Amino acid sequence: MASALINVPKKAKFGDVIEIKTLISHIMETGFRHSTTGVPIPRDIITSFVCTYNNEEIFRAVLYPAIAANPFFIFTTIATESGTIEFTWQGDNGFLATASATITVE
Amino acid sequence: MIVNSKRTQWLAPVAVMLGFAAIEVISAHAEIPLGERRSGYADLAPDTKAMQDDDTANPGMLWVQDGEALWNAKSGAANRACADCHNDARTTMTGVAARYPAFNSKLGRPIDLEQRINLCRVERQQASAFAYESKELLSLSAFIGKQSRGEPIAPPTDERLRPFLEAGLEQFNRRQGQLNLSCGQCHDDNWGKRLAGSLIPQAHPNGYPLYRLEWQAVGSLQRRLRNCIVGMRAEPYDYGAPEYVSLEIYLMWRARGLPIETPAVRP
């Protein structure tokens, strides 16, 4: 049940700076911990996050074990044209999650 | 128990005003005056407040989102979803979390919201009960709890709950564990001060299940109670034990009137 919460303004004026917020559900297990019986718990983290605006990459992040569970990103971009903003999270054990939002630029 | 005479003086007229059955029990103890009661939210850092206030920044909303999916998913031998009986939770579940734990006539004892969900699972959906602290149970209780956001805590005035409320009060003030502490010694007598670097809150249950930054996850009130019991170096009860339910009943009564904040965010 990987779920994400996305906050992108539905409408913006051309040239406006818009704020984008994303929150994804993930345990971000560091790989440095051991279970109560001493068995190492394997690393399970999100390793990359990419955001594209009409297929053009506008934001990318590389994640490491020190990032807390349920990573939250806020970043900004300039509203240039109407279209789709897509988000992709990739990680260990073949983790892949995607989400998208549409924006109308006037 | 230490009885502070100055604090008990005001309680007599209040007791008459409230007229609630258990008040004479409460009046023997130095409780926080109603006017001074405040949610743990009031003591949060501005960053944590902002996190709780924005539904797209509050990680507890991830559980709420999963809970909504579970609410609408058919399950069990009966192939029935919560929504098939209860319809849209946005209208039918408003205020429900604010009045639990409640007395269950069939079982002859009070049950909390998690136990109510599992009763529905077993009896109505004919499915297996969710484990305590499982993602499913936390998600559903967070989703149901969220429908009461802003509603004041309104414990049922059910005479059958009285012995359990009294048991909860007794537990709250009983010294226990190797540190020989009671809940009340911190949360009634010393709230607002600091224990090591951390602020001692009044310990109100109005945000549960909540996202705790320390846990990096949503957890139930019972998980929090276990933490406190371990902190006193006492042996915690098993999940679902009746002792937690009576303590929950007392905590809800003690926090009556405070708004529900589920899913809250706490440090």
Side-chain angles (χ1 to χ4, degrees):
Chain A
M1 291 200 291
S3 53
L5 289 167
I6 308 294
N7 188 354
V8 175
K10 285 193 176 65
K11 279 184 181 177
K13 284 203 179 85
F14 180 83
D16 273 2
V17 175
I18 54 164
E19 189 177 71
I20 296 172
K21 296 182 194 175
T22 72
L23 180 64
I24 176 99
S25 154
H26 199 286
I27 55 166
M28 297 297 279
E29 182 60 56
T30 61
F32 299 131
R33 300 197 305 160
H34 292 76
S35 73
T36 45
T37 51
V39 183
I41 303 169
R43 192 184 88 163
D44 182 11
I45 63 167
I46 293 174
T47 49
S48 90
F49 168 67
V50 176
C51 173
T52 61
Y53 186 175
N54 284 344
N55 297 320
E56 189 191 338
E57 185 175 306
I58 55 163
F59 185 85
R60 169 183 288 272
V62 178
L63 289 83
Y64 292 94
I67 309 266
N70 310 311
F72 178 53
F73 289 107
I74 305 183
F75 52 95
T76 54
T77 190
I78 295 169
T80 50
E81 53 186 359
S82 297
T84 313
I85 299 181
E86 289 180 304
F87 308 91
T88 309
W89 296 263
Q90 277 183 291
D92 294 334
N93 306 317
F95 180 85
L96 177 68
T98 55
S100 67
T102 53
I103 182 167
T104 310
V105 176
E106 293 160 340
Chain B
M1 189 179 16
I2 304 157
V3 177
N4 181 331
S5 61
K6 205 175 114 199
R7 286 213 216 155
T8 47
Q9 274 170 6
W10 67 272
L11 276 159
V14 176
V16 177
M17 265 157 41
L18 286 163
F20 190 80
I23 201 83
E24 63 264 34
V25 183
I26 309 289
S27 61
H29 168 68
E31 245 198 4
I32 306 168
L34 273 177
E36 288 178 33
R37 276 171 221 216
R38 58 170 198 243
S39 164
Y41 178 85
D43 300 314
L44 293 182
D47 289 354
T48 320
K49 278 185 182 168
M51 200 184 221
Q52 176 174 323
D53 292 341
D54 179 354
D55 276 351
T56 52
N58 180 345
M61 291 306 291
L62 294 167
W63 276 255
V64 170
Q65 194 172 293
D66 288 343
E68 184 167 14
L70 281 168
W71 179 267
N72 294 306
K74 291 192 187 297
S75 184
N79 194 32
R80 214 183 277 167
C82 308
D84 290 341
C85 289
H86 298 289
N87 303 315
D88 188 353
R90 280 175 182 80
T91 53
T92 59
M93 289 294 124
T94 307
V96 170
R99 52 176 188 264
Y100 263 82
F103 196 85
N104 185 285
S105 317
K106 208 170 155 187
L107 293 174
R109 61 178 167 86
I111 52 169
D112 62 16
L113 190 61
E114 284 87 351
Q115 290 168 336
R116 178 65 257 178
I117 292 169
N118 268 335
L119 264 186
C120 270
R121 284 277 300 167
V122 174
E123 289 180 359
R124 313 263 181 244
Q125 296 182 300
Q126 294 167 35
S128 54
F130 292 129
Y132 279 95
E133 298 308 294
S134 62
K135 176 107 186 176
E136 289 84 0
L137 190 55
L138 289 170
S139 300
L140 259 180
S141 54
F143 174 66
I144 294 168
K146 197 220 155 212
Q147 312 311 323
S148 300
R149 199 192 259 176
E151 299 281 323
I153 291 181
T157 47
D158 184 341
E159 196 53 33
R160 294 172 300 177
L161 283 175
R162 185 185 165 137
F164 300 94
L165 175 66
E166 285 171 2
L169 167 72
E170 189 277 324
Q171 262 176 278
F172 192 82
N173 292 302
R174 187 202 311 149
R175 284 167 172 262
Q176 50 184 316
Q178 290 177 326
L179 296 185
N180 198 28
L181 282 172
S182 74
C183 312
Q185 282 180 299
C186 277
H187 300 295
D188 275 346
D189 301 344
N190 288 298
W191 62 268
K193 296 180 190 162
R194 284 179 184 273
L195 187 62
S198 303
L199 187 94
I200 302 173
Q202 292 186 352
H204 294 304
N206 58 323
Y208 285 88
L210 56 71
Y211 191 89
R212 200 159 168 233
L213 301 178
E214 186 190 310
W215 292 337
Q216 299 197 17
V218 163
S220 70
L221 180 54
Q222 289 199 10
R223 180 171 177 188
R224 175 66 254 187
L225 294 176
R226 286 169 67 90
N227 268 204
C228 268
I229 293 172
V230 171
M232 299 189 288
R233 298 193 194 157
E235 182 80 30
Y237 308 101
D238 287 339
Y239 276 111
E243 285 84 355
Y244 290 126
V245 180
S246 27
L247 202 46
E248 284 172 52
I249 293 171
Y250 172 64
L251 288 176
M252 290 296 269
W253 189 81
R254 186 172 168 269
R256 60 201 180 281
L258 286 182
I260 296 278
E261 293 172 17
T262 309
V265 179
R266 295 289 183 269

